[in-house]
Amino acid sequence: MVSGAECYSRFLHGDKKAIEDVIREYKDGLIFYIYSIIGDIHKSEELAVDTFIKLFTEKPNFNGDGSFKTWLYSIGRFTTVDYIRKNKNITEVPLENAYALSDDKNIEQGFIHDEEKIKLHKKISRLKPEYSQILYLIYFENFTHDETAKIMKKSRKQINDLLYRAKNALKKEIEKENEFYDEL
């Protein structure tokens, strides 16, 4: 498989079709990353498209400092922050609308797995935006702490502290739900 950096380089050198490979490879992850910031799946899709439009029209230079994915997600974050600054009223859409059933051979197990992911995403979305953002980047997108620090514009120490607080907040959110079910 050709890397995103190679495809983007081909695009910058005139291969207009290469940008399609970049979009195909990173679109879904970028949408869900943006969703972790703003909580609106439809707006997340639009902002991901805006991010790719920036690549297509402005052709920013990727200098190879870090991974291509980290660089792309940083552009997505800047695009999202710009949107938030310009539009103070952000509506939330339930995450259930973003998931389709699994294509696994065992449909039932795939469905259960998807349901668990949806429940976890719901719990994460109830946390402070910074907490949901860091949990998503590290545990769903598998970014390293250094890459996450670069995307979120924080130091490695700040990322470690933030991750610790985010995990504790998520644990409390899970415990709250368990108490609710125990009372029923």
Side-chain angles (χ1 to χ4, degrees):
M1 162 129 196
V2 180
S3 76
E6 291 172 19
C7 289
Y8 187 65
S9 177
R10 282 193 350 251
F11 165 71
L12 291 177
H13 289 94
D15 182 0
K16 299 295 182 202
K17 295 267 185 197
I19 196 72
E20 294 173 12
D21 294 334
V22 172
I23 293 169
R24 194 174 307 111
E25 179 68 24
Y26 297 101
K27 176 186 65 148
D28 293 338
L30 183 61
I31 289 170
F32 284 110
Y33 168 62
I34 293 171
Y35 177 84
S36 76
I37 299 171
I38 65 170
D40 179 335
I41 194 66
H42 300 293
K43 185 49 68 182
S44 299
E45 291 170 346
E46 289 177 29
L47 290 167
V49 168
D50 290 348
T51 301
F52 291 118
I53 288 172
K54 280 184 183 179
L55 290 184
F56 190 80
T57 58
E58 296 174 17
K59 299 178 181 168
N61 186 33
F62 171 64
N63 62 10
D65 184 29
S67 77
F68 179 79
K69 186 175 179 181
T70 302
W71 176 78
L72 177 63
Y73 277 45
S74 293
I75 294 172
R77 182 176 188 277
F78 290 134
T79 303
T80 304
V81 168
D82 274 352
Y83 168 79
I84 291 170
R85 281 187 197 128
K86 291 176 185 171
N87 305 288
K88 300 290 182 195
N89 301 332
I90 297 183
T91 352
E92 291 189 23
V93 173
L95 186 62
E96 301 90 37
N97 298 344
Y99 285 96
L101 288 176
S102 173
D103 293 331
D104 294 343
K105 292 178 185 173
N106 185 343
I107 297 295
E108 182 178 354
Q109 189 158 13
F111 180 76
I112 291 169
H113 181 263
D114 283 348
E115 286 295 311
E116 289 170 356
K117 276 175 76 173
I118 290 170
K119 286 179 184 177
L120 183 59
H121 273 284
K122 279 183 178 178
K123 289 177 184 103
I124 289 173
S125 71
R126 284 181 270 201
L127 302 176
K128 289 174 38 177
E130 219 174 29
Y131 290 174
S132 64
Q133 188 178 359
I134 193 166
L135 291 170
Y136 180 79
L137 287 172
I138 290 179
Y139 294 111
F140 291 96
E141 285 296 323
N142 299 316
F143 279 111
T144 66
H145 289 176
D146 290 331
E147 291 170 326
T148 301
K150 196 172 199 176
I151 292 169
M152 293 182 72
K153 300 292 182 207
K154 297 192 178 293
S155 71
R156 170 72 188 247
K157 169 100 172 82
Q158 288 173 313
I159 290 298
N160 289 339
D161 293 345
L162 187 60
L163 182 60
Y164 176 79
R165 290 192 307 271
K167 288 194 288 189
N168 282 336
L170 180 59
K171 180 181 173 190
K172 287 178 185 173
E173 192 67 36
I174 292 169
E175 288 170 352
K176 256 197 274 183
E177 186 171 297
N178 289 339
E179 288 174 12
F180 174 75
Y181 286 121
D182 288 342
E183 290 175 10
L184 296 177

